[in-house]
Amino acid sequence: MTSVVADLMAALEGSGHTVAVAESLTGGALASALISPAGASAVVRGGVVAYDTELKASLLGVDRDLLDEQGPVHPEVARQMAIGVRVALATSQGPASIGVATTGVAGPASQGGHPAGTVFVAVAHGDEVDVREAAFDGDRSSVRAATVDLALEMLGNTVR
């Protein structure tokens, strides 16, 4: 997977993009994958692991009423996380051009009425936000790995 990520980082750098990541169920695995190739620092701003629901609001700007009403496993939560992380990880050069977010239920138990394996991934670029829902089978580790793969695929689609 490292060569796939290296190619993705090269494409993003060639397009002048910067990336900020907001993770919940992946717990830093996406950021880790993105920074695995040498030179990733030219593209990756950093990541926020907002595992606690409150942090989604306080760090990433997710609407508190939405979180209270729907819980953290919701497509709009993923969308707001992806938008919010771009600003949360802004530098003197401005916000990141792309925000990526993951939220869902890794399992083994369901959460908030959502079965294990329910995942939402969002990629915010410009005024556009692509949010995808997935239902992955397997244990926590495989759900988290599949979520990282989906996020990388979606991120790659932003430069194609």
Side-chain angles (χ1 to χ4, degrees):
M1 169 155 64
T2 302
S3 65
V4 171
V5 177
D7 291 345
L8 173 59
M9 291 294 99
L12 289 164
E13 182 178 11
S15 300
H17 289 298
T18 55
V19 177
V21 179
E23 299 182 70
S24 187
L25 88 146
T26 50
L30 177 57
S32 181
L34 289 173
I35 64 169
S36 62
S41 61
V43 174
V44 180
R45 286 277 176 88
V48 172
V49 177
Y51 204 67
D52 186 289
T53 300
E54 175 62 26
L55 294 177
K56 291 170 181 63
S58 64
L59 290 177
L60 300 172
V62 176
D63 183 86
R64 289 177 193 274
D65 291 337
L66 171 67
L67 290 167
D68 290 343
E69 293 168 14
Q70 301 296 328
V73 183
H74 192 273
E76 181 62 17
V77 171
R79 187 184 81 75
Q80 290 184 23
M81 287 173 65
I83 293 168
V85 77
R86 292 171 63 189
V87 175
L89 298 183
T91 66
S92 61
Q93 298 165 341
S97 61
I98 299 172
V100 184
T102 65
T103 191
V105 184
S110 63
Q111 177 186 347
H114 299 282
T118 302
V119 170
F120 295 97
V121 176
V123 176
H125 176 242
D127 293 333
E128 300 294 318
V129 184
D130 180 20
V131 181
R132 290 203 205 153
E133 179 177 5
F136 296 123
D137 292 323
D139 62 10
R140 283 180 64 79
S141 180
S142 61
V143 168
R144 292 175 71 230
T147 303
V148 169
D149 289 345
L150 175 58
L152 291 172
E153 175 189 323
M154 291 173 66
L155 183 55
N157 289 338
T158 63
V159 292
R160 291 188 185 122

